[in-house]
Amino acid sequence: MDLKHPFQTSFSTQVDREILILEAHGADGTIGYSESVAGRDPFYSEETVSTTAVMLKELLVPMLIGTTIDHPDEVSQLFAPIRRNNMAISAIEGAMWDMYAKQRGASLSIAFGGTKSQVQVGVSIGLQPTDAALLEKVSAAVDAGFKRIKMKVKPGRDVDMIRAVRREFPDVLLMVDANSAYTLDDIPLLQRFDEFNLMMIEQPLAHDDIIDHAVLQKAISTPVCLDESIHSSADARKAIALGACQIINIKTGRVGGLTAAKKLHDLCAEHGIPVWCGGMLETGIGRAHNIAMSTLPNFVLPGDTAPSANYWHEDIVTPEITMNRGVIDVPTAPGIGYDINQEALDRFTQSMEIWPANGAAYPSTLSDKEPLHVS
Ligand code: OSB
Ligand code: MG
């Protein structure tokens, strides 16, 4: 799917997304939907579309098929012996959550234990070629009512750029995301961010670091938020104990699913660490899961759950996800709460693979598709 605008971070420029969509067909005909957030390249994390497909096909689906699951938490338990591969696990676990909610006639939010009927929405703005182009983007985002603005930064596109935005927008809730572009040698530079009253700086240091972030947090007043470094509740516990961050961004894909995300959320709540929902340029399917997750009570900061039109010319859910002045009304229909735009999904689908359960019959429309070759 082509993005409306290229999305540039310190690690890559994305112009489109290749996305693995998973449909889980229940014996009763219920279909659960989910999306793997893995990218085409292993630049955000080690997982990719291909590794996700291999893990699902060769390991996760065979483990799940034939297993009786009474609650999606059991999916998380079933896969607990597997090291990492969180995005692949999250994809299959998310589809089971959707199916579970639909079978109970409950929205995913309610089935999951969410408590909010609306979620607060921020926007993530990629690196722009010039400050003027960035100011235009920020201005449009402020006009649209986003509850906070996040800008990507990297060495050479930081202090002067942030100053230019702050000068024009002195009161807007502003934060930056470095996606691991700095090192401890940059402490003097990162200290200069302190004058801009940023809500937080997200993942300034290495993707696999917790210790250096604790050193940095002691040297700057801007709160550090961790993204890439946190794959589990255990990671979060260590980061909190060391003082490596004051805020955590939770992404279902990165932490291995909704059940794992809730555990992490609860741990953060116990320690007074606010959380927010990160984004991975999802389609409406992954976005719907993110919205449901954001209804847990400790998601107190606006998330990267911008509406469909921020990313896509056409989304694969219907109605598309919309917001009103930075607020999304949580859907109340069963499961993810949005229908699939099947015509669009079929049009975007380049290949499909069916993993049958014990010889059960599949709708012929599915088997018409070209198989996906992952090896
Ligand atoms: O670091 O939060 C990130 C997109 C892809 C990979 C990593 C990140 C992002 C974003 C975009 O910041 C968030 C969104 O989906 O709007
Ligand atoms: Mg981030």
Side-chain angles (χ1 to χ4, degrees):
M1 290 171 69
D2 293 332
L3 286 163
K4 251 188 195 171
H5 313 283
F7 189 77
Q8 189 180 356
T9 62
S10 60
F11 63 83
S12 79
T13 301
Q14 277 178 269
V15 296
D16 57 13
R17 285 208 60 222
E18 182 183 332
I19 303 166
L20 188 147
I21 299 291
L22 200 116
E23 287 183 14
H25 290 243
D28 64 354
T30 309
I31 306 179
Y33 289 91
S34 67
E35 162 175 354
S36 158
V37 300
R40 186 186 292 130
D41 305 302
F43 299 156
Y44 168 83
S45 83
E46 65 274 29
E47 290 187 86
T48 67
V49 179
S50 312
T51 70
T52 308
V54 168
M55 284 301 292
L56 284 165
K57 175 191 168 118
E58 296 187 357
L59 199 78
L60 305 178
V61 171
M63 279 173 80
L64 189 61
I65 284 177
T67 306
T68 301
I69 297 291
D70 292 321
H71 189 276
D73 286 351
E74 295 165 26
V75 180
S76 194
Q77 280 163 28
L78 179 69
F79 296 139
I82 296 167
R83 303 275 195 249
R84 299 288 186 115
N85 290 284
N86 285 351
M87 292 176 180
I89 291 170
S90 175
I92 192 164
E93 192 249 21
M96 301 309 285
W97 265 108
D98 182 29
M99 183 185 293
Y100 172 80
K102 283 172 175 161
Q103 288 175 337
R104 274 149 195 79
S107 69
L108 181 55
S109 162
I110 296 294
F112 184 53
T115 55
K116 295 185 236 170
S117 57
Q118 293 186 320
V119 298
Q120 309 278 309
V121 185
V123 69
S124 176
I125 301 176
L127 288 158
Q128 302 297 315
T130 62
D131 289 353
L134 175 61
L135 283 167
E136 221 169 275
K137 288 260 181 189
V138 173
S139 176
V142 170
D143 289 347
F146 282 104
K147 297 290 185 189
R148 65 99 173 104
I149 312 276
K150 156 170 149 182
M151 311 183 292
K152 295 291 185 178
V153 290
K154 68 173 184 180
R157 295 292 290 155
D158 44 39
V159 174
D160 292 344
M161 185 190 89
I162 303 167
R163 179 176 293 112
V165 173
R166 218 4 142 204
R167 194 185 299 126
E168 291 290 314
F169 303 96
D171 302 321
V172 78
L173 290 176
L174 204 58
M175 61 171 286
V176 294
D177 185 357
N179 291 110
S180 299
Y182 297 93
T183 71
L184 284 182
D185 292 342
D186 296 311
I187 284 181
L189 173 68
L190 295 169
Q191 284 172 328
R192 296 174 62 202
F193 290 22
D194 282 348
E195 68 173 283
F196 302 123
N197 188 29
L198 300 174
M199 291 174 83
M200 69 194 91
I201 177 170
E202 186 179 345
Q203 197 71 34
L205 307 179
H207 73 95
D208 56 355
D209 169 75
I210 289 177
I211 293 171
D212 285 353
H213 279 96
V215 174
L216 174 66
Q217 182 65 95
K218 285 174 186 63
I220 62 175
S221 59
T222 306
V224 170
C225 168
L226 290 177
D227 174 353
E228 283 90 330
S229 294
I230 305 297
H231 299 275
S232 64
S233 300
D235 287 344
R237 177 176 58 74
K238 292 164 196 169
I240 295 166
L242 288 175
C245 64
Q246 299 182 40
I247 299 168
I248 290 179
N249 154 341
I250 300 184
K251 295 177 178 170
T252 55
R254 200 189 67 234
V255 305
L258 282 168
T259 296
K262 191 194 281 180
K263 251 191 229 160
L264 177 43
H265 159 276
D266 293 350
L267 177 93
C268 290
E270 280 164 31
H271 288 84
I273 298 287
V275 303
W276 55 277
C277 175
M280 293 288 283
L281 312 176
E282 288 92 342
T283 74
I285 293 177
R287 199 163 298 281
H289 284 265
N290 288 346
I291 292 166
M293 179 176 75
S294 304
T295 64
L296 293 179
N298 193 35
F299 279 84
V300 290
L301 298 169
D304 280 345
T305 52
S308 303
N310 191 57
Y311 310 84
W312 313 113
H313 299 287
E314 185 183 14
D315 205 341
I316 56 174
V317 296
T318 179
E320 296 206 346
I321 299 174
T322 55
M323 85 177 182
N324 181 16
R325 306 299 308 163
V327 174
I328 291 178
D329 290 323
V330 179
T332 52
I336 60 172
Y338 299 88
D339 287 332
I340 302 305
N341 179 346
Q342 195 64 50
E343 187 277 320
L345 179 57
D346 287 345
R347 187 156 26 88
F348 288 126
T349 299
Q350 307 210 331
S351 60
M352 173 178 288
E353 189 157 0
I354 299 168
W355 301 310
N358 307 330
Y362 279 77
S364 60
T365 49
L366 285 178
S367 40
D368 285 341
K369 289 286 177 177
E370 286 284 304
L372 169 68
H373 297 289
V374 291
S375 52

